[in-house]
Amino acid sequence: MLSLKEKDRPIVRKLLCAGCCVRCVLRFCCVGTSSAYRRSYQVSHIQPFPADHQDLHKELLAFISEENSPQSHDASGEEKSSDAPPNKRMRIDEDSVTAAQTDSDICPVCLGVLQDFCDPGFAEQVSDAVKKQQYEFDSLVLTVSLPAQLSVREHSCWLHVKKEVREKSMCLGKDDVIQVKDAFKWAVQGKIGQELGAAVVANSPCEVSISFIHPETEEDCHFLAHTCPDCFKPTKNKASVFTRMAVVKALEKISEEKFSRHYPCPPKKANTRCTALDTTCLHTSVFIAGRYNKFSRELPQTPWVIDGERRMDGSVEELIAAPLLSSFRADGFNFSSSGREDVDVRTLGNGRPFAVELLNPHRAKFNRAEIKQLQETINQSSDKIRVRDLQIVTRDATSRMKEGEEEKTKTYSALIWTQKAIESPDLEFLANIKDLRIAQKTPLRVLHRRPLAVRQRLVHSMTTIYLDKHHFTLKLCTQAGTYIKEFVHGDFGRTKPNLCDLMKTDADILELDVESVDIDWPPAIPD
């Protein structure tokens, strides 16, 4: 039995007369029991429903016909005996209900969403579409996108009912009405979850989306653009200004009187039902972190493209991401790291922290052994790089890679050439220089991709190893973000002071290695 009360009779009658479907009637009667929306109200000749799924429509008609029976109710809701026959108005109303249901079987409020798409057949159709996309998940969240004009029709029907309940000194708040989305989900999500073997929950990394459109009534919203123009502003990513949020905002502002002048209450019936678009799935991104070493001086960190032409084959990010994309069956990726090295610079020591965002992965769960195997697959794919500490992390955890990045330190080893002949004692003074503050104008070589600015950086310490009269090894510990090559040769005076100034001779850097990136992230994983 439906949990309807005496106060609901006029609402039920008014909505049925307007041609509303029974699930919309239940919504406006504030029936919040999900099982009521799962019941069938149409007889299936192909697959009969269980006996306990009685015809909801007949039950509603029986409910309002009780008002006309010899036994009616007093103001308190108690039944009272009466021998008076049903009056003429009641008979006319019953005829109106019957006529409303036969003139058109498309609900003017939900436009068929709660009529034609709440049966097990549609739930199976959605489930089959999800299965074809081959996602792996234990739970899912069901999202529903409805045409914006349904909000206009809902508002119209609410005003229509509101007048009736006001005359009977009752109150029906718009927020009390069960939303079409909620009623639809209550009707189908149990079956969808059962078909997919997954729990349908309020929050899940896997999202199954069902969208409806109704081209016939798209102009229902247009009058709002004239009455509430400030609610509708064009945006780059939206094909139409009549988004659901914009329509809802306008409906909150427009007065009942003005709305009624521009739009009929109740809404007019439609000739067509809503159309369900293809079911789509989307899994939230998975983040993989680790550290990489780069052993080649001919390998860029990211694809090197100049004037639309690729200059070198492969890159660090591609060598790392390719096995991850394949294993997680992701649609794409975003690569980020703690700084970057030039194509001719090696990254040694414990490596450079990195994170890969895998977009829409079809498989998201891997155990520790499987991640370790993935790490080995990456390392065996090329001798140019090596990865360590590979692990799945959260989105929030990746922010730690960038937090306070410029306050971190990095150590380098550089092979230096000097124009002037030198001896070992000529280098000793460099070891005594501590926390040297330098000003670096954006280097010429990166000016095409970095804004012009002067950056203050610290060279914390330097040590040297003498090689011959024109060569030595310089080891530096610097603030992260220091341009080492420019500190050595000066970049035409754009970095001051520089090694040339300090040694009073022209100098250049022949080879550079990153020895360590002193960021304690991601956590080390024991071998």
Side-chain angles (χ1 to χ4, degrees):
M1 293 294 293
L2 298 173
S3 55
L4 297 174
K5 302 175 182 178
E6 176 64 24
K7 67 179 182 63
D8 296 321
R9 290 188 198 276
I11 298 176
V12 174
R13 177 177 294 278
K14 206 163 187 66
L15 292 173
L16 289 180
C17 285
C20 296
C21 69
V22 293
R23 289 194 177 96
C24 279
V25 173
L26 297 180
R27 293 192 305 109
F28 277 88
C29 290
C30 308
V31 175
T33 307
S34 61
S35 59
Y37 297 89
R38 292 195 294 270
R39 292 176 57 184
S40 169
Y41 65 90
Q42 291 179 335
V43 179
S44 172
H45 300 290
I46 301 175
Q47 184 179 0
F49 290 99
D52 58 337
H53 281 210
Q54 298 178 15
D55 189 346
L56 283 174
H57 185 248
K58 290 181 179 178
E59 192 169 335
L60 284 179
L61 289 177
F63 173 69
I64 60 172
S65 67
E66 291 175 10
E67 186 178 14
N68 304 332
S69 65
Q71 194 173 42
S72 57
H73 300 73
D74 60 20
S76 65
E78 295 295 328
E79 293 183 349
K80 65 179 183 179
S81 178
S82 173
D83 295 329
N87 62 41
K88 182 177 180 181
R89 181 185 175 188
M90 292 301 181
R91 286 197 299 269
I92 293 174
D93 284 348
E94 284 186 1
D95 292 340
S96 299
V97 170
T98 303
Q101 297 299 311
T102 55
D103 288 345
S104 173
D105 58 353
I106 302 173
C107 176
V109 182
C110 72
L111 297 175
V113 171
L114 298 180
Q115 293 172 293
D116 302 330
F117 301 96
C118 292
D119 59 278
F122 182 71
E124 290 177 9
Q125 178 183 326
V126 171
S127 303
D128 290 342
V130 175
K131 291 175 183 177
K132 288 180 181 178
Q133 297 179 57
Q134 297 182 329
Y135 283 83
E136 296 182 21
F137 49 82
D138 298 323
S139 66
L140 63 93
V141 58
L142 184 65
T143 64
V144 182
S145 176
L146 298 172
Q149 56 266 35
L150 258 65
S151 296
V152 176
R153 289 176 166 264
E154 180 108 337
H155 191 77
S156 168
C157 198
W158 174 67
L159 292 180
H160 178 60
V161 173
K162 185 179 178 182
K163 180 181 179 181
E164 176 76 18
V165 298
R166 185 186 294 153
E167 291 174 354
K168 298 183 181 300
S169 301
M170 296 188 296
C171 178
L172 176 64
K174 191 174 180 181
D175 292 339
D176 296 328
V177 177
I178 304 298
Q179 296 296 303
V180 175
K181 286 184 180 182
D182 292 333
F184 174 77
K185 290 179 183 180
W186 289 342
V188 302
Q189 66 184 12
K191 180 64 175 177
I192 292 174
Q194 181 182 355
E195 289 285 329
L196 296 175
V200 182
V201 295
N203 188 20
S204 171
C206 187
E207 178 183 289
V208 175
S209 298
I210 303 173
S211 299
F212 296 93
I213 60 171
H214 195 264
E216 180 191 344
T217 60
E218 284 181 351
E219 294 185 359
D220 280 9
C221 305
H222 290 188
F223 76 95
L224 293 171
H226 301 290
T227 56
C228 304
D230 56 323
C231 295
F232 301 94
K233 298 179 181 179
T235 58
K236 294 182 180 179
N237 300 325
K238 299 293 184 181
S240 170
V241 297
F242 296 104
T243 62
R244 192 188 70 84
M245 293 302 297
V247 169
V248 169
K249 184 178 179 181
L251 292 174
E252 290 174 350
K253 294 186 64 175
I254 192 170
S255 66
E256 294 181 12
E257 180 184 359
K258 185 178 291 187
F259 181 93
S260 299
R261 286 204 309 266
H262 290 86
Y263 198 86
C265 299
K268 293 180 180 179
K269 294 179 180 180
N271 297 314
T272 58
R273 293 171 170 79
C274 277
T275 300
L277 301 179
D278 291 340
T279 300
T280 60
C281 298
L282 183 67
H283 198 289
T284 57
S285 296
V286 171
F287 292 83
I288 306 293
R291 286 176 173 263
Y292 74 81
N293 294 114
K294 181 167 86 77
F295 304 118
S296 172
R297 296 194 188 279
E298 297 181 347
L299 183 69
Q301 187 192 68
T302 57
W304 195 6
V305 180
I306 299 178
D307 296 330
E309 181 180 346
R310 183 157 185 160
R311 294 300 176 93
M312 289 188 174
D313 293 332
S315 64
V316 171
E317 72 166 34
E318 290 169 307
L319 290 172
I320 293 174
L324 298 177
L325 281 173
S326 176
S327 297
F328 283 80
R329 290 186 278 131
D331 290 349
F333 72 94
N334 292 317
F335 183 90
S336 60
S337 63
S338 178
R340 58 187 296 140
E341 68 283 315
D342 290 338
V343 62
D344 59 347
V345 176
R346 299 185 302 180
T347 298
L348 308 176
N350 62 353
R352 185 186 297 276
F354 71 89
V356 180
E357 179 187 7
L358 296 168
L359 306 174
N360 192 26
H362 288 49
R363 181 187 175 190
K365 290 192 175 182
F366 286 74
N367 59 36
R368 180 65 62 85
E370 289 171 323
I371 293 295
K372 187 174 182 181
Q373 181 57 51
L374 259 176
Q375 178 173 293
E376 288 303 310
T377 300
I378 295 171
N379 291 338
Q380 292 170 8
S381 66
S382 173
D383 59 0
K384 295 180 179 181
I385 66 165
R386 184 170 181 81
V387 169
R388 59 183 294 176
D389 300 331
L390 197 69
Q391 56 196 279
I392 297 178
V393 297
T394 64
R395 179 188 291 271
D396 291 340
T398 62
S399 62
R400 294 172 55 189
M401 184 174 65
K402 299 292 186 180
E403 284 178 359
E405 191 175 58
E406 292 187 357
E407 282 68 47
K408 302 295 183 180
T409 60
K410 297 181 180 181
T411 57
Y412 301 87
S413 177
L415 176 60
I416 307 298
W417 166 86
T418 61
Q419 183 183 51
K420 183 177 71 175
I422 58 172
E423 300 294 336
S424 181
D426 295 332
L427 304 174
E428 293 177 355
F429 79 100
L430 293 175
N432 297 323
I433 298 176
K434 305 295 181 183
D435 293 330
L436 175 67
R437 187 174 296 277
I438 64 175
Q440 294 195 300
K441 188 178 290 186
T442 304
L444 293 173
R445 63 187 174 90
V446 300
L447 197 55
H448 65 284
R449 56 184 171 87
R450 295 284 175 86
L452 178 61
V454 177
R455 298 169 178 83
Q456 303 294 325
R457 294 290 186 264
L458 286 175
V459 178
H460 296 293
S461 64
M462 292 180 282
T463 59
T464 60
I465 301 175
Y466 179 79
L467 299 177
D468 58 43
K469 290 185 178 182
H470 291 282
H471 300 88
F472 70 96
T473 298
L474 176 65
K475 293 186 179 293
L476 310 92
C477 177
T478 72
Q479 179 183 356
T482 303
Y483 291 106
I484 304 302
K485 292 178 179 179
E486 283 67 27
F487 169 67
V488 172
H489 58 62
D491 196 24
F492 302 101
R494 296 170 72 87
T495 291
K496 294 183 178 181
N498 53 65
L499 189 63
C500 295
D501 296 336
L502 297 175
M503 296 188 66
K504 294 180 171 48
T505 180
D506 286 344
D508 205 352
I509 189 166
L510 304 181
E511 293 181 350
L512 178 63
D513 293 330
V514 180
E515 296 287 352
S516 70
V517 179
D518 302 323
I519 297 177
D520 188 20
W521 189 89
I525 297 178
D527 293 333

